[in-house]
Amino acid sequence: MAVWRADLTLRLEDDVVIVTRDNQDPTFFHAPNYENHVAGVSGPLLEAMNVALDGKANDKERQRAEREVRRLGLELFEGVFGVADGSGNRLEDTLRSILEMQGGHPPTIGIEGQWYLLPWELMRVPTEVSLRAQEAYLGELSIVAGLVGPQRLGLTMDYEIEDKLQLVSIVGDQLKFVSDEIGHINQLNGPNLHPIRLVRGLRGGRSVERRSQNCEIIGQLLRGPVPANFLHGAFHSSTPAAGDAFEIHIEKRATLTSNDCRQFRLRVDEPNIAFFNSCQGISMNRWRAGGLALHAVTRWNSEVVVTSLCKIDDEQAAAFSQRFLDRILPVNGTIAEPIGLALYHERCRTLTEQGPTKLLGLSYRLLGCPARRFSMPNEMAA
Protein backbone atom coordinates (compact mmCIF):
# COMPACT_ATOMS: atom_id res chain seq x y z
CA MET A 1 0.00 0.00 0.00
CA ALA A 2 1.50 3.34 -1.10
CA VAL A 3 2.45 5.74 1.68
CA TRP A 4 2.13 9.47 1.09
CA ARG A 5 4.80 12.04 1.90
CA ALA A 6 4.52 15.77 1.42
CA ASP A 7 6.90 17.48 -1.00
CA LEU A 8 7.58 20.01 1.75
CA THR A 9 6.81 19.69 5.47
CA LEU A 10 6.80 22.66 7.83
CA ARG A 11 6.58 22.49 11.60
CA LEU A 12 6.63 25.25 14.19
CA GLU A 13 8.09 24.46 17.61
CA ASP A 14 8.40 27.46 19.91
CA ASP A 15 10.39 29.97 17.82
CA VAL A 16 11.91 27.43 15.46
CA VAL A 17 10.55 26.47 12.03
CA ILE A 18 11.60 22.92 11.10
CA VAL A 19 11.60 22.28 7.34
CA THR A 20 11.85 18.83 5.72
CA ARG A 21 11.88 17.94 2.02
CA ASP A 22 12.81 14.95 -0.16
CA ASN A 23 13.82 12.77 2.80
CA GLN A 24 16.69 15.18 3.49
CA ASP A 25 17.82 16.16 6.96
CA PRO A 26 15.63 18.92 8.41
CA THR A 27 16.60 22.57 8.18
CA PHE A 28 16.02 24.90 11.12
CA PHE A 29 14.89 28.52 10.80
CA HIS A 30 14.96 30.60 13.98
CA ALA A 31 12.24 33.24 14.27
CA PRO A 32 11.78 35.12 17.58
CA ASN A 33 8.14 36.07 18.34
CA TYR A 34 7.17 34.30 15.13
CA GLU A 35 3.89 32.87 16.40
CA ASN A 36 2.60 36.18 17.75
CA HIS A 37 3.34 37.95 14.48
CA VAL A 38 1.63 35.51 12.14
CA ALA A 39 -1.33 35.05 14.49
CA GLY A 40 -1.81 38.83 14.58
CA VAL A 41 -2.02 39.03 10.78
CA SER A 42 -4.23 35.98 10.23
CA GLY A 43 -7.15 37.35 12.27
CA PRO A 44 -7.67 40.53 10.19
CA LEU A 45 -7.05 38.50 7.03
CA LEU A 46 -9.92 36.14 7.81
CA GLU A 47 -12.17 39.06 8.75
CA ALA A 48 -11.51 40.57 5.32
CA MET A 49 -12.33 37.19 3.76
CA ASN A 50 -15.70 37.20 5.52
CA VAL A 51 -16.63 40.39 3.68
CA ALA A 52 -15.18 39.21 0.35
CA LEU A 53 -17.34 36.06 0.53
CA ASP A 54 -20.48 37.82 1.78
CA GLY A 55 -23.22 37.49 -0.83
CA LYS A 56 -24.95 40.54 0.69
CA ALA A 57 -21.94 42.83 0.31
CA ASN A 58 -22.08 45.31 -2.57
CA ASP A 59 -19.43 45.37 -5.29
CA LYS A 60 -17.52 48.26 -3.71
CA GLU A 61 -17.35 46.56 -0.29
CA ARG A 62 -16.31 43.24 -1.82
CA GLN A 63 -13.60 44.77 -4.02
CA ARG A 64 -12.18 46.67 -1.04
CA ALA A 65 -12.17 43.44 0.99
CA GLU A 66 -10.44 41.53 -1.83
CA ARG A 67 -7.69 44.18 -1.93
CA GLU A 68 -7.29 43.80 1.83
CA VAL A 69 -7.07 40.02 1.47
CA ARG A 70 -4.29 40.43 -1.09
CA ARG A 71 -2.41 42.96 1.08
CA LEU A 72 -2.64 40.94 4.28
CA GLY A 73 -1.98 37.70 2.40
CA LEU A 74 1.31 39.13 1.16
CA GLU A 75 2.19 40.37 4.66
CA LEU A 76 1.48 36.93 6.10
CA PHE A 77 3.60 35.25 3.43
CA GLU A 78 6.52 37.57 4.13
CA GLY A 79 6.18 36.92 7.86
CA VAL A 80 6.15 33.13 7.45
CA PHE A 81 8.51 32.56 4.53
CA GLY A 82 10.83 35.53 5.03
CA VAL A 83 12.87 33.88 7.82
CA ALA A 84 16.41 32.60 7.18
CA ASP A 85 18.47 29.68 8.49
CA GLY A 86 21.98 29.87 9.95
CA SER A 87 23.52 30.02 6.47
CA GLY A 88 21.32 32.88 5.32
CA ASN A 89 19.04 30.72 3.16
CA ARG A 90 15.47 31.98 3.23
CA LEU A 91 12.44 29.76 3.59
CA GLU A 92 10.91 31.37 0.49
CA ASP A 93 13.90 30.08 -1.50
CA THR A 94 12.98 26.54 -0.47
CA LEU A 95 9.38 27.10 -1.62
CA ARG A 96 10.55 28.52 -4.96
CA SER A 97 12.78 25.47 -5.46
CA ILE A 98 9.86 23.12 -4.79
CA LEU A 99 7.59 24.99 -7.23
CA GLU A 100 10.33 24.95 -9.87
CA MET A 101 10.88 21.21 -9.52
CA GLN A 102 7.16 20.46 -9.93
CA GLY A 103 7.05 22.08 -13.36
CA GLY A 104 3.57 23.54 -12.97
CA HIS A 105 2.05 20.62 -11.07
CA PRO A 106 0.87 21.55 -7.57
CA PRO A 107 3.27 20.32 -4.86
CA THR A 108 1.92 19.19 -1.50
CA ILE A 109 2.84 21.12 1.64
CA GLY A 110 2.29 19.40 4.98
CA ILE A 111 1.81 21.66 8.01
CA GLU A 112 2.51 20.16 11.43
CA GLY A 113 1.97 21.68 14.85
CA GLN A 114 -0.58 24.29 15.94
CA TRP A 115 0.11 26.63 13.06
CA TYR A 116 -1.85 24.40 10.67
CA LEU A 117 -4.65 26.79 11.74
CA LEU A 118 -3.15 29.70 9.80
CA PRO A 119 -4.88 30.63 6.51
CA TRP A 120 -2.08 29.16 4.41
CA GLU A 121 -4.09 29.12 1.19
CA LEU A 122 -4.58 32.90 1.43
CA MET A 123 -0.87 33.72 1.61
CA ARG A 124 0.00 35.87 -1.37
CA VAL A 125 3.18 34.64 -3.09
CA PRO A 126 5.25 37.31 -4.94
CA THR A 127 6.24 36.77 -8.55
CA GLU A 128 9.90 36.04 -7.82
CA VAL A 129 8.79 33.03 -5.76
CA SER A 130 5.60 31.96 -7.56
CA LEU A 131 7.41 31.77 -10.95
CA ARG A 132 4.30 33.29 -12.52
CA ALA A 133 3.79 36.57 -14.32
CA GLN A 134 1.97 37.96 -11.29
CA GLU A 135 1.40 37.30 -7.61
CA ALA A 136 -0.60 34.17 -6.78
CA TYR A 137 -2.23 32.68 -3.71
CA LEU A 138 -0.40 29.75 -2.15
CA GLY A 139 -3.66 27.80 -2.50
CA GLU A 140 -3.57 28.11 -6.30
CA LEU A 141 0.08 27.05 -6.42
CA SER A 142 0.02 24.07 -4.07
CA ILE A 143 -2.06 21.57 -2.10
CA VAL A 144 -1.81 22.44 1.60
CA ALA A 145 -2.59 19.79 4.25
CA GLY A 146 -2.72 20.25 8.01
CA LEU A 147 -1.29 17.20 9.80
CA VAL A 148 -2.49 16.77 13.38
CA GLY A 149 -2.50 13.89 15.88
CA PRO A 150 -2.81 10.42 14.32
CA GLN A 151 -2.94 11.91 10.82
CA ARG A 152 0.84 12.25 10.93
CA LEU A 153 1.28 8.45 10.92
CA GLY A 154 0.50 5.86 8.25
CA LEU A 155 -0.68 8.32 5.62
CA THR A 156 -1.66 5.83 2.92
CA MET A 157 -3.21 6.99 -0.33
CA ASP A 158 -6.11 4.60 -0.91
CA TYR A 159 -9.10 4.20 1.39
CA GLU A 160 -10.10 0.70 0.29
CA ILE A 161 -13.83 -0.04 0.47
CA GLU A 162 -14.51 -3.78 0.76
CA ASP A 163 -18.13 -3.63 -0.43
CA LYS A 164 -19.89 -0.28 -0.85
CA LEU A 165 -19.42 3.23 0.44
CA GLN A 166 -21.79 4.34 3.22
CA LEU A 167 -22.49 8.06 3.36
CA VAL A 168 -24.18 9.76 6.33
CA SER A 169 -25.33 13.34 5.78
CA ILE A 170 -26.24 15.99 8.37
CA VAL A 171 -27.96 18.92 6.64
CA GLY A 172 -29.30 21.87 8.61
CA ASP A 173 -32.83 22.96 7.81
CA GLN A 174 -31.90 26.60 8.51
CA LEU A 175 -29.81 26.81 5.34
CA LYS A 176 -31.45 28.92 2.62
CA PHE A 177 -30.57 26.37 -0.04
CA VAL A 178 -31.16 23.24 2.03
CA SER A 179 -33.38 21.70 -0.67
CA ASP A 180 -30.56 22.00 -3.22
CA GLU A 181 -28.09 20.32 -0.87
CA ILE A 182 -30.45 17.48 0.07
CA GLY A 183 -31.55 17.04 -3.53
CA HIS A 184 -27.99 16.58 -4.71
CA ILE A 185 -27.17 14.19 -1.87
CA ASN A 186 -30.22 12.06 -2.63
CA GLN A 187 -29.32 11.72 -6.31
CA LEU A 188 -25.86 10.35 -5.51
CA ASN A 189 -26.18 6.68 -6.35
CA GLY A 190 -24.64 3.82 -8.25
CA PRO A 191 -23.28 0.32 -7.68
CA ASN A 192 -20.59 1.57 -5.29
CA LEU A 193 -22.89 3.30 -2.78
CA HIS A 194 -25.24 2.05 -0.08
CA PRO A 195 -28.47 4.07 0.29
CA ILE A 196 -27.55 7.39 1.88
CA ARG A 197 -28.59 7.96 5.49
CA LEU A 198 -29.82 11.49 6.23
CA VAL A 199 -29.92 12.75 9.82
CA ARG A 200 -33.48 13.83 10.62
CA GLY A 201 -35.88 13.93 13.57
CA LEU A 202 -33.74 15.80 16.09
CA ARG A 203 -35.44 17.46 19.05
CA GLY A 204 -35.14 21.16 19.88
CA GLY A 205 -34.13 22.44 23.30
CA ARG A 206 -31.09 22.12 25.53
CA SER A 207 -32.38 19.84 28.30
CA VAL A 208 -30.21 16.85 29.23
CA GLU A 209 -32.86 14.49 27.83
CA ARG A 210 -33.11 16.28 24.46
CA ARG A 211 -29.34 16.51 24.01
CA SER A 212 -28.91 12.84 24.92
CA GLN A 213 -31.63 11.79 22.47
CA ASN A 214 -30.11 13.79 19.63
CA CYS A 215 -26.67 12.30 20.21
CA GLU A 216 -28.20 8.83 20.19
CA ILE A 217 -30.06 9.48 16.91
CA ILE A 218 -26.89 10.69 15.22
CA GLY A 219 -24.81 7.89 16.74
CA GLN A 220 -27.17 5.18 15.46
CA LEU A 221 -27.00 6.56 11.92
CA LEU A 222 -23.21 6.75 12.06
CA ARG A 223 -22.72 3.26 13.49
CA GLY A 224 -24.93 1.04 11.46
CA PRO A 225 -26.01 -1.38 10.42
CA VAL A 226 -23.20 -0.45 7.98
CA PRO A 227 -20.75 2.01 9.62
CA ALA A 228 -20.29 5.34 7.86
CA ASN A 229 -17.19 5.68 5.65
CA PHE A 230 -18.00 9.25 4.61
CA LEU A 231 -19.45 12.01 6.80
CA HIS A 232 -21.09 14.93 5.03
CA GLY A 233 -22.37 18.01 6.79
CA ALA A 234 -24.00 21.22 5.62
CA PHE A 235 -25.16 23.47 8.45
CA HIS A 236 -24.51 26.71 10.28
CA SER A 237 -21.63 26.31 12.70
CA SER A 238 -19.13 28.25 14.77
CA THR A 239 -15.87 27.76 16.63
CA PRO A 240 -16.57 29.55 19.93
CA ALA A 241 -13.32 28.79 21.77
CA ALA A 242 -9.90 27.19 21.51
CA GLY A 243 -9.24 23.47 21.16
CA ASP A 244 -11.91 21.29 19.55
CA ALA A 245 -14.92 23.32 20.76
CA PHE A 246 -17.72 23.71 18.21
CA GLU A 247 -21.43 24.45 17.84
CA ILE A 248 -23.50 23.26 14.89
CA HIS A 249 -27.14 24.15 14.24
CA ILE A 250 -29.02 21.35 12.51
CA GLU A 251 -32.79 21.47 12.82
CA LYS A 252 -34.94 24.19 14.37
CA ARG A 253 -33.61 24.81 17.88
CA ALA A 254 -31.56 21.59 17.67
CA THR A 255 -27.91 22.42 18.38
CA LEU A 256 -25.05 19.95 18.76
CA THR A 257 -21.92 21.02 20.64
CA SER A 258 -18.56 19.46 21.40
CA ASN A 259 -19.60 19.25 25.07
CA ASP A 260 -22.70 17.25 24.08
CA CYS A 261 -20.54 14.79 22.15
CA ARG A 262 -18.23 14.28 25.11
CA GLN A 263 -20.98 14.11 27.73
CA PHE A 264 -23.11 11.60 25.80
CA ARG A 265 -20.19 9.74 24.23
CA LEU A 266 -20.96 10.43 20.59
CA ARG A 267 -18.02 8.71 18.92
CA VAL A 268 -17.35 7.16 15.52
CA ASP A 269 -15.39 3.91 15.51
CA GLU A 270 -15.02 3.32 11.76
CA PRO A 271 -12.23 5.28 10.01
CA ASN A 272 -13.86 7.80 7.72
CA ILE A 273 -13.43 10.83 5.52
CA ALA A 274 -15.42 13.97 6.36
CA PHE A 275 -16.54 17.06 4.45
CA PHE A 276 -18.28 19.72 6.56
CA ASN A 277 -19.55 22.47 4.27
CA SER A 278 -20.11 24.99 7.04
CA CYS A 279 -18.93 28.32 8.37
CA GLN A 280 -15.98 28.31 10.72
CA GLY A 281 -15.54 24.54 10.84
CA ILE A 282 -12.02 25.32 11.95
CA SER A 283 -10.04 28.27 13.30
CA MET A 284 -12.00 31.37 12.20
CA ASN A 285 -9.69 34.08 13.62
CA ARG A 286 -9.12 32.41 16.99
CA TRP A 287 -5.58 31.16 17.40
CA ARG A 288 -5.34 27.49 18.44
CA ALA A 289 -9.01 26.79 17.68
CA GLY A 290 -9.37 23.56 15.72
CA GLY A 291 -13.14 23.43 16.12
CA LEU A 292 -15.28 20.78 14.47
CA ALA A 293 -12.41 19.62 12.22
CA LEU A 294 -10.13 18.87 15.16
CA HIS A 295 -12.96 17.13 17.02
CA ALA A 296 -13.61 14.92 13.98
CA VAL A 297 -9.93 13.94 13.83
CA THR A 298 -9.47 13.21 17.53
CA ARG A 299 -12.90 11.78 18.46
CA TRP A 300 -14.72 10.74 15.28
CA ASN A 301 -11.87 8.80 13.69
CA SER A 302 -11.81 11.02 10.61
CA GLU A 303 -8.64 10.41 8.60
CA VAL A 304 -9.27 13.38 6.30
CA VAL A 305 -11.42 16.44 7.00
CA VAL A 306 -12.31 19.33 4.68
CA THR A 307 -14.10 22.39 6.04
CA SER A 308 -14.03 26.20 5.93
CA LEU A 309 -11.92 28.55 8.04
CA CYS A 310 -14.34 31.47 7.78
CA LYS A 311 -17.91 32.47 6.97
CA ILE A 312 -19.27 31.28 3.63
CA ASP A 313 -22.39 32.14 1.63
CA ASP A 314 -25.08 29.42 1.68
CA GLU A 315 -25.85 29.50 -2.05
CA GLN A 316 -22.28 29.57 -3.27
CA ALA A 317 -21.16 26.95 -0.74
CA ALA A 318 -23.94 24.59 -1.85
CA ALA A 319 -22.83 24.84 -5.49
CA PHE A 320 -19.19 24.30 -4.49
CA SER A 321 -20.18 21.27 -2.41
CA GLN A 322 -22.02 19.58 -5.25
CA ARG A 323 -19.07 19.80 -7.63
CA PHE A 324 -16.59 18.73 -4.95
CA LEU A 325 -18.67 15.70 -3.94
CA ASP A 326 -18.98 14.60 -7.56
CA ARG A 327 -15.19 14.54 -7.77
CA ILE A 328 -14.35 12.66 -4.56
CA LEU A 329 -17.19 10.09 -4.46
CA PRO A 330 -17.33 7.06 -6.80
CA VAL A 331 -20.86 7.86 -8.02
CA ASN A 332 -22.44 6.16 -11.02
CA GLY A 333 -19.39 3.97 -11.53
CA THR A 334 -16.87 6.82 -11.76
CA ILE A 335 -13.39 6.64 -10.19
CA ALA A 336 -12.94 8.95 -7.22
CA GLU A 337 -10.29 11.68 -7.35
CA PRO A 338 -7.72 12.20 -4.58
CA ILE A 339 -9.32 14.63 -2.15
CA GLY A 340 -6.54 17.21 -2.17
CA LEU A 341 -6.40 17.34 -5.96
CA ALA A 342 -10.20 17.63 -6.21
CA LEU A 343 -10.19 20.53 -3.75
CA TYR A 344 -7.32 22.18 -5.65
CA HIS A 345 -9.17 21.93 -8.98
CA GLU A 346 -12.37 23.41 -7.56
CA ARG A 347 -10.39 26.17 -5.84
CA CYS A 348 -8.68 27.16 -9.08
CA ARG A 349 -12.02 27.09 -10.90
CA THR A 350 -13.63 29.54 -8.47
CA LEU A 351 -10.67 31.93 -8.84
CA THR A 352 -11.67 32.45 -12.48
CA GLU A 353 -15.10 33.73 -11.42
CA GLN A 354 -16.24 37.13 -10.20
CA GLY A 355 -18.31 38.15 -7.20
CA PRO A 356 -18.54 36.35 -3.84
CA THR A 357 -17.53 32.99 -5.33
CA LYS A 358 -14.09 34.16 -6.49
CA LEU A 359 -12.21 33.46 -3.24
CA LEU A 360 -14.58 30.76 -1.95
CA GLY A 361 -12.27 27.82 -2.72
CA LEU A 362 -9.45 29.44 -0.73
CA SER A 363 -11.56 29.34 2.44
CA TYR A 364 -11.47 25.52 2.66
CA ARG A 365 -8.79 23.71 4.68
CA LEU A 366 -7.82 20.06 4.40
CA LEU A 367 -6.57 18.05 7.38
CA GLY A 368 -4.96 14.68 6.69
CA CYS A 369 -3.47 13.02 3.64
CA PRO A 370 -4.45 14.98 0.48
CA ALA A 371 -3.70 11.93 -1.71
CA ARG A 372 -6.39 9.88 0.09
CA ARG A 373 -9.12 8.60 -2.22
CA PHE A 374 -11.90 6.03 -2.10
CA SER A 375 -10.80 2.82 -3.86
CA MET A 376 -13.62 0.45 -4.76
CA PRO A 377 -13.54 -3.40 -5.17
CA ASN A 378 -14.44 -3.33 -8.86
CA GLU A 379 -11.72 -0.76 -9.47
CA MET A 380 -9.07 -2.86 -7.67
CA ALA A 381 -10.14 -6.00 -9.55
CA ALA A 382 -9.74 -4.20 -12.86
Side-chain angles (χ1 to χ4, degrees):
M1 186 176 292
V3 176
W4 171 80
R5 288 184 178 85
D7 296 304
L8 179 67
T9 302
L10 308 176
R11 180 176 181 82
L12 178 64
E13 290 187 1
D14 298 323
D15 288 334
V16 178
V17 183
I18 304 171
V19 180
T20 308
R21 56 174 293 189
D22 303 327
N23 294 320
Q24 298 177 6
D25 291 336
T27 305
F28 300 91
F29 295 79
H30 296 272
N33 300 316
Y34 196 39
E35 181 177 315
N36 290 335
H37 171 71
V38 296
V41 177
S42 65
L45 175 55
L46 286 171
E47 291 291 356
M49 268 290 282
N50 289 336
V51 179
L53 297 177
D54 188 352
K56 297 179 181 178
N58 60 44
D59 290 344
K60 187 175 181 179
E61 293 171 330
R62 186 163 48 249
Q63 290 167 4
R64 183 166 54 245
E66 288 179 0
R67 289 195 297 270
E68 190 70 354
V69 168
R70 291 194 293 270
R71 183 186 71 81
L72 291 169
L74 181 60
E75 182 178 342
L76 186 59
F77 176 86
E78 292 172 344
V80 171
F81 285 91
V83 295
D85 64 12
S87 301
N89 300 309
R90 295 166 65 88
L91 183 52
E92 65 180 33
D93 297 331
T94 301
L95 176 62
R96 181 173 59 245
S97 174
I98 291 289
L99 293 172
E100 195 169 30
M101 287 178 60
Q102 293 294 315
H105 297 286
T108 55
I109 303 177
I111 310 298
E112 296 185 355
Q114 286 286 348
W115 72 336
Y116 75 89
L117 296 165
L118 288 179
W120 290 89
E121 293 83 359
L122 291 172
M123 293 183 188
R124 193 75 174 164
V125 184
T127 55
E128 60 269 22
V129 179
S130 70
L131 305 178
R132 292 192 177 188
Q134 56 188 7
E135 294 177 355
Y137 291 105
L138 187 61
E140 63 179 308
L141 297 173
S142 63
I143 298 171
V144 181
L147 307 177
V148 294
Q151 292 183 326
R152 295 174 57 192
L153 305 174
L155 299 174
T156 56
M157 296 184 185
D158 284 349
Y159 184 119
E160 296 182 356
I161 303 298
E162 294 181 0
D163 179 23
K164 296 181 180 181
L165 181 67
Q166 178 64 68
L167 187 153
V168 172
S169 180
I170 307 174
V171 179
D173 63 5
Q174 298 178 36
L175 296 175
K176 295 178 182 178
F177 295 87
V178 62
S179 58
D180 293 348
E181 193 85 14
I182 293 177
H184 188 74
I185 288 295
N186 284 332
Q187 64 88 33
L188 295 175
N189 53 52
N192 292 325
L193 274 70
H194 286 292
I196 292 169
R197 297 199 291 265
L198 190 65
V199 172
R200 278 288 179 265
L202 301 185
R203 307 284 300 279
R206 297 296 298 160
S207 68
V208 172
E209 180 183 9
R210 292 288 175 84
R211 291 184 292 133
S212 175
Q213 289 173 344
N214 289 343
C215 284
E216 181 59 27
I217 290 171
I218 296 173
Q220 288 178 354
L221 289 171
L222 292 173
R223 289 189 296 268
V226 178
N229 311 108
F230 184 75
L231 311 184
H232 165 259
F235 35 65
H236 291 302
S237 69
S238 61
T239 300
D244 67 345
F246 71 85
E247 293 180 1
I248 62 177
H249 308 281
I250 307 173
E251 298 183 18
K252 187 176 182 181
R253 297 183 62 238
T255 300
L256 181 70
T257 71
S258 49
N259 287 335
D260 295 339
C261 295
R262 280 190 286 268
Q263 182 176 353
F264 303 110
R265 295 180 174 83
L266 177 55
R267 298 187 63 87
V268 183
D269 297 325
E270 182 74 11
N272 61 81
I273 291 172
F275 171 46
F276 301 121
N277 195 30
S278 63
C279 297
Q280 307 171 34
I282 182 175
S283 184
M284 182 51 183
N285 60 353
R286 297 176 177 84
W287 185 239
R288 299 188 183 281
L292 176 60
L294 181 60
H295 191 95
V297 169
T298 57
R299 296 178 181 271
W300 290 354
N301 215 8
S302 297
E303 297 179 337
V304 180
V305 182
V306 174
T307 191
S308 175
L309 284 85
C310 49
K311 296 178 181 178
I312 50 180
D313 179 78
D314 290 358
E315 181 180 11
Q316 310 304 335
F320 184 93
S321 170
Q322 292 168 20
R323 291 188 293 266
F324 180 59
L325 290 173
D326 287 346
R327 285 181 177 274
I328 66 174
L329 297 178
V331 295
N332 299 318
T334 60
I335 295 178
E337 287 186 27
I339 294 176
L341 191 60
L343 183 60
Y344 171 81
H345 284 151
E346 284 304 311
R347 175 179 294 143
C348 292
R349 188 194 57 76
T350 62
L351 282 168
T352 65
E353 300 180 353
Q354 299 299 320
T357 61
K358 183 175 182 179
L359 300 181
L360 177 63
L362 293 168
S363 71
Y364 290 93
R365 164 59 46 78
L366 184 151
L367 302 187
C369 172
R372 203 83 160 115
R373 57 178 291 276
F374 288 116
S375 179
M376 308 307 298
N378 54 352
E379 176 188 338
M380 290 184 283

